[in-house]
Amino acid sequence: MTRNQKMFEADALTHYNRRLFLAQTLEHGQQTGRISPAHLDKIHQDTASLAHKLIAIKVEDLSSGTEIRGQIQEAFTLTSLGLEYGCQGALDKSVRLLNSNRLIKFFQIGNTLVDKLVERSRNTLEKAVLISPATPAMRPVDQAKIPAYNEWEVDFLESTIERKLAIDTAQLSLYQLSVPPRALMRLADINIANQQLDYINHRLSYLRALPQEPIFAVDYPPNIDCDTARQITIALMVNLVLYREVDFHLDEEDLDNFRNIAYDVESCTVKKASQDLLLGWIRGYMDLANQPEEVKKYAVEYWRYCLSIFNENSLLPI
C-alpha cells in the first residue's frame, strides 16, 4: 500500500461522519469516560484492517483515491449499521457492546442487513410484475407483463441494488425521487427502503386480487412516469362511478363524464359521495378477496392516493 493510500485512510479514520451511529457512540463513550484512549486506538486499527480487506477485494485501481476512500467509508458505514442494529439506537448499550465485542461482528451484521436489502430489491425488480393468464397454446415468454412499480420506483430499486438510497421517506407510490442517491448510513435508511419495498409488493398483491383477464384486455397508453398500476386503478374507478361495473377500458369521453359527474371544480377534488363509493368498494372487494390485513390497508390508502391525483387538472388525462 502506498504512502498516499495510508494518508487517505488516516484522514478517513480521524474525520468521522457525524451521521454515523458509530461516530456518535465513540463520542458518547469518550465523554462519559467509558471508552479509553487505548480502546479508541484499537477501534481505529480494527477499522483500518477492515478497510484494507475491502480495498484488497473491491478496488481495482489502487491509485484511485476515490475508490479507496469509498471502501474506507464502507467499512465505517457497515460497522456503524451493525452496531446501531445491535443496540437499536441506545448509546449507553452501544458503548457496552463496543467494549465487549470484536468490531468485525458489527461489520458482519451491517453487511448482512445491506445484502438482504439488496437481494430483496433485486427480487422486487424482477418479480413484482403482473403476468397475463396463460392459454394452453401460449408459452410463458409470450405472456404480457405489467410491472407493479413505476419509473421512479425503478430508479429507487436500481439505486438500492447499488447500496444507495434515493428517497427520504417511504411513499404509497413514488411520484419522484426526493434526493440524489446516497449511501445507506443509518438503520432508518434501511427501514425506509424496506417500507418502500413493502409498498411495491403490497401493490402487486392488490393488482393480483383484481380480475386479470379484463386488465390484460386493455391497451394502456404510455404515461409520463410509466405508472400502469395507477392507470389500471383510475380506469376501474371511472367505470365503477359511471357504469357500476368492473372494467378497465377508459377513453376521453369516459374521463370527461367522470369529471362532470364526480369532480368538484371549485374545490379541485373528487366529490365526497364518489370517494365514499369507491373507497367502500375497494374495502369490500379486498375483504372478499381474503387479502392479508396489510394488503387491504395498503389498497385503500393507494386508492386515496389515486383519487388525490384528480386534484391536479394536468394529471387528469392519463
Side-chain angles (χ1 to χ4, degrees):
M1 182 157 293
T2 68
R3 181 173 179 275
N4 282 342
Q5 290 159 17
K6 290 179 180 178
M7 287 176 64
F8 285 138
E9 289 190 24
D11 180 68
L13 289 169
T14 54
H15 293 85
Y16 296 107
N17 186 324
R18 286 288 294 117
R19 289 189 64 208
L20 289 174
F21 186 74
L22 175 59
Q24 295 168 25
T25 298
L26 294 177
E27 182 179 357
H28 182 71
Q30 291 174 85
Q31 287 175 348
T32 58
R34 294 167 59 199
I35 293 180
S36 67
H39 190 200
L40 184 63
D41 286 343
K42 177 68 164 56
I43 291 169
H44 284 179
Q45 292 167 15
D46 289 347
T47 309
S49 177
L50 288 171
H52 285 152
K53 292 175 183 177
L54 289 177
I55 290 166
I57 294 169
K58 296 186 177 183
V59 173
E60 296 182 1
D61 181 4
L62 291 177
S63 67
S64 170
T66 300
E67 287 190 59
I68 290 171
R69 276 192 292 266
Q71 294 309 315
I72 295 168
Q73 184 65 42
E74 184 87 338
F76 268 100
T77 299
L78 294 178
T79 303
S80 182
L81 280 169
L83 182 62
E84 187 178 4
Y85 180 81
C87 70
Q88 292 298 302
L91 283 173
D92 285 340
K93 183 177 180 181
S94 178
V95 171
R96 289 199 303 272
L97 289 176
L98 203 54
N99 281 331
S100 58
N101 292 275
R102 295 176 62 203
L103 205 68
I104 193 170
K105 176 179 180 179
F106 304 113
F107 172 85
Q108 290 168 339
I109 293 170
N111 193 51
T112 298
L113 286 172
V114 175
D115 281 349
K116 285 183 176 179
L117 178 64
V118 168
E119 184 62 21
R120 191 178 179 213
S121 298
R122 189 176 285 116
N123 284 338
T124 299
L125 186 61
E126 178 185 347
K127 298 177 181 178
V129 176
L130 205 61
I131 301 175
S132 63
T135 61
M138 182 181 290
R139 300 174 301 165
V141 293
D142 295 327
Q143 289 178 267
K145 297 179 180 180
I146 296 174
Y149 42 76
N150 62 33
E151 186 176 77
W152 299 108
E153 288 161 337
V154 170
D155 291 342
F156 156 75
L157 291 168
E158 290 177 345
S159 293
T160 309
I161 290 168
E162 293 174 0
R163 303 166 82 90
K164 296 179 181 179
L165 186 65
I167 56 176
D168 279 329
T169 57
Q171 301 170 47
L172 291 170
S173 180
L174 292 179
Y175 188 59
Q176 61 183 8
L177 298 185
S178 52
V179 293
R182 56 179 171 78
L184 294 157
M185 299 183 69
R186 296 295 306 267
L187 195 57
D189 294 338
I190 302 290
N191 293 338
I192 288 168
N194 272 313
Q195 182 65 73
Q196 194 64 52
L197 291 171
D198 285 344
Y199 286 159
I200 294 172
N201 285 290
H202 290 342
R203 196 182 313 144
L204 176 66
S205 296
Y206 146 68
L207 290 170
R208 283 177 171 166
L210 298 175
Q212 300 298 285
E213 288 188 11
I215 287 176
F216 284 94
V218 175
D219 239 348
Y220 300 97
N223 63 351
I224 192 168
D225 50 3
C226 301
D227 199 334
T228 307
R230 192 177 69 210
Q231 289 177 287
I232 289 168
T233 300
I234 290 177
L236 176 54
M237 288 176 172
V238 171
N239 277 282
L240 286 170
V241 169
L242 296 183
Y243 308 114
R244 300 297 194 271
E245 64 182 22
V246 176
D247 198 356
F248 302 92
H249 290 278
L250 182 63
D251 56 30
E252 191 60 38
E253 183 179 354
D254 287 334
L255 206 48
D256 285 341
N257 288 335
F258 181 86
R259 290 177 185 136
N260 293 332
I261 293 171
Y263 191 72
D264 186 336
V265 177
E266 289 187 6
S267 65
C268 296
T269 59
V270 175
K271 294 175 182 176
K272 185 178 184 303
S274 295
Q275 290 198 38
D276 290 346
L277 166 72
L278 292 169
L279 295 175
W281 185 90
I282 189 59
R283 284 192 194 97
Y285 185 89
M286 297 303 285
D287 279 337
L288 289 173
N290 293 317
Q291 291 298 301
E293 198 60 39
E294 62 270 19
V295 175
K296 289 193 286 188
K297 182 178 178 181
Y298 175 80
V300 172
E301 293 308 310
Y302 183 65
W303 274 47
R304 289 188 194 277
Y305 159 76
C306 290
L307 282 166
S308 74
I309 288 173
F310 289 98
N311 294 357
E312 293 292 336
N313 289 330
S314 60
L315 292 176
L316 278 169
I318 61 172

